[in-house]
């Protein structure tokens, strides 16, 4: 009887839902989905898990009557709201930039042709392998939802297909554009010789030069994926969300780029295999 009564009340409640209510729910669902996609690409999701644990302990302390713990946690939560705004200022700014830009739909969609990006990844890894061997410094930026229009405007517009030979020519030490960054957008080289903001992180290793600091800086201020080849050591690094992974093999670089730039269904599709590609090029 209780179950029937509950179902009856639920059905009566559903009948009260109008078109405006459905539209309201749809908007909230889309916004939550967009926020989840942003959080899933950064370290926010781990922090959110920690917040949920603290909230659970706060609720539990109230139920069990643990007055002192409850008091301390309530004050910590109030201060934590301000701390979170400061901590995630780059992510909040990035989200607001997307809301105010013409590329708002990029929050909810991949936004670029998978095949072109897949080819760009392969060619970039091949170029980095050669530049690492020859100690040729390089800074290559893959844009994602943030189209990096401002940095692109500081460089020379190319709009060219990504090839290993073109990348190596751009970063050749005597080439006029070798000092700046190459920005790849939608699987094509949008511009070269681009100027990037330096990282404001004071905790970076003193071993890192201007090229690495610029790569970390653009990854802090956007959702870009950055590949850096050191001129001094020839080591390859990848920066995402302000985090730098150094001394990577070409296989690891390719894996990281695919994981960050290709949709999940693209990772399940047939991929280029770097070793097979090189073997075919040598014997072909």
């Amino acid at each position: 009887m209780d179950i029937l009564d509950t179902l009856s009340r639920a059905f009566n409640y559903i009948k009260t839902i109008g078109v405006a209510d459905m539209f309201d729910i749809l908007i909230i669902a889309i916004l939550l989905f967009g926020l989840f996609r942003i959080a899933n690409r950064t370290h926010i999701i781990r922090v959110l898990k920690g917040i949920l644990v603290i909230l659970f302990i706060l609720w539990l302390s109230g139920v069990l009557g643990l007055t002192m713990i409850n008091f301390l946690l309530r004050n910590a939560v109030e201060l934590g709201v301000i701390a979170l705004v400061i901590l995630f200022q780059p992510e909040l700014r990035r989200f607001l930039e997307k809301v105010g830009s013409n590329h708002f739909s990029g929050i909810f969609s991949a936004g670029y042709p998978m095949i072109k990006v897949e080819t760009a990844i392969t060619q970039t890894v091949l170029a980095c392998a050669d530049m690492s061997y020859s100690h040729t410094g390089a800074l290559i930026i893959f844009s994602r939802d943030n189209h990096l229009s401002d940095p692109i405007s500081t460089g020379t517009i190319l709009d060219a297909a990504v090839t290993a030979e073109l990348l190596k020519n751009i970063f050749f030490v005597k080439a006029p554009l070798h000092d700046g960054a190459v920005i790849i957008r939608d699987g094509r080289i949008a511009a070269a010789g681009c100027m990037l903001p330096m990282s404001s992180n004071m905790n970076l290793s003193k071993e890192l030069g201007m090229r690495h600091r610029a790569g970390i800086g653009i990854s802090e201020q956007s959702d870009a994926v950055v590949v850096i080849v050191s001129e001094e050591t020839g080591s390859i690094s990848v920066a995402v969300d302000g985090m730098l992974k150094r001394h990577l093999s070409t296989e690891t670089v390719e894996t990281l780029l695919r994981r960050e730039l290709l949709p999940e269904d693209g990772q399940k599709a047939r991929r280029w295999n770097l070793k097979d590609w090189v073997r075919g090029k040598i014997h072909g």
Side-chain angles (χ1 to χ4, degrees):
M1 191 67 180
D2 291 337
I3 296 176
L4 292 176
D5 185 54
T6 302
L7 291 174
S8 177
R9 279 186 292 177
F11 182 72
N12 291 332
Y13 179 76
I14 292 173
K15 289 195 297 184
T16 63
I17 298 176
V19 176
D21 297 317
M22 295 179 64
F23 189 64
D24 191 23
I25 294 170
L26 180 62
I27 291 175
I28 295 298
I30 292 174
L31 289 175
L32 288 175
F33 177 72
L35 289 172
F36 178 77
R37 287 194 73 237
I38 294 174
N40 199 40
R41 284 203 299 261
T42 65
H43 303 291
I44 300 176
I45 199 72
R46 299 175 185 174
V47 178
L48 291 178
K49 290 177 182 178
I51 293 173
L52 290 176
V53 171
I54 293 174
L55 292 176
F56 175 76
I57 296 174
L58 177 63
W59 169 81
L60 190 62
S61 64
V63 172
L64 299 177
L66 304 176
T67 307
M68 184 61 69
I69 294 177
N70 188 269
F71 172 78
L72 291 174
L73 286 177
R74 274 192 288 109
N75 283 275
V77 168
E78 291 175 3
L79 293 174
V81 173
I82 300 174
L84 285 175
V85 173
I86 297 173
L87 182 62
F88 293 114
Q89 184 265 342
E91 285 78 10
L92 291 172
R93 182 181 61 198
R94 188 185 308 164
F95 179 76
L96 292 175
E97 285 176 352
K98 290 176 184 177
V99 171
S101 70
N102 295 326
H103 308 294
F104 181 71
S105 61
I107 297 175
F108 311 109
S109 61
Y112 43 72
M114 185 184 69
I115 295 176
K116 288 184 179 180
V117 175
E118 203 169 11
T119 302
I121 290 172
T122 301
Q123 294 297 314
T124 298
V125 173
L126 288 168
C128 288
D130 288 344
M131 290 188 290
S132 174
Y133 180 77
S134 61
H135 285 214
T136 301
L139 181 55
I140 303 170
I141 317 298
F142 285 86
S143 75
R144 291 195 279 190
D145 293 339
N146 189 314
H147 279 209
L148 305 179
S149 299
D150 290 339
I152 286 175
S153 66
T154 66
T156 300
I157 304 299
L158 296 182
D159 188 25
V162 181
T163 65
E165 296 304 321
L166 178 55
L167 289 173
K168 288 188 290 184
N169 284 334
I170 290 173
F171 289 112
F172 177 64
V173 67
K174 293 184 179 180
L177 301 177
H178 82 279
D179 277 335
V182 163
I183 297 180
I184 297 176
R185 185 170 68 183
D186 298 339
R188 293 177 64 82
I189 297 178
C194 302
M195 299 295 103
L196 303 178
M198 294 293 170
S199 173
S200 57
N201 187 348
M202 302 299 294
N203 297 320
L204 293 178
S205 171
K206 294 182 180 180
E207 297 177 1
L208 300 178
M210 302 290 283
R211 185 175 284 110
H212 287 82
R213 293 179 182 274
I216 296 171
I218 194 65
S219 74
E220 289 173 342
Q221 298 185 22
S222 72
D223 60 353
V225 180
V226 184
V227 182
I228 309 161
V229 181
S230 171
E231 186 175 352
E232 289 75 21
T233 65
S235 67
I236 307 174
S237 305
V238 173
V240 181
D241 297 318
M243 303 296 292
L244 182 70
K245 296 184 179 181
R246 304 174 64 189
H247 308 298
L248 304 177
S249 66
T250 52
E251 290 80 5
T252 303
V253 172
E254 183 178 24
T255 300
L256 287 174
L257 292 180
R258 288 183 178 279
R259 187 176 68 192
E260 294 291 338
L261 298 172
L262 296 178
E264 186 177 352
D265 56 345
Q267 295 181 24
K268 295 177 182 178
R270 183 178 64 85
R271 300 174 175 177
W272 285 89
N273 182 283
L274 180 60
K275 292 181 179 178
D276 290 344
W277 197 93
V278 174
R279 191 181 299 116
K281 186 175 181 181
I282 294 174
H283 296 292

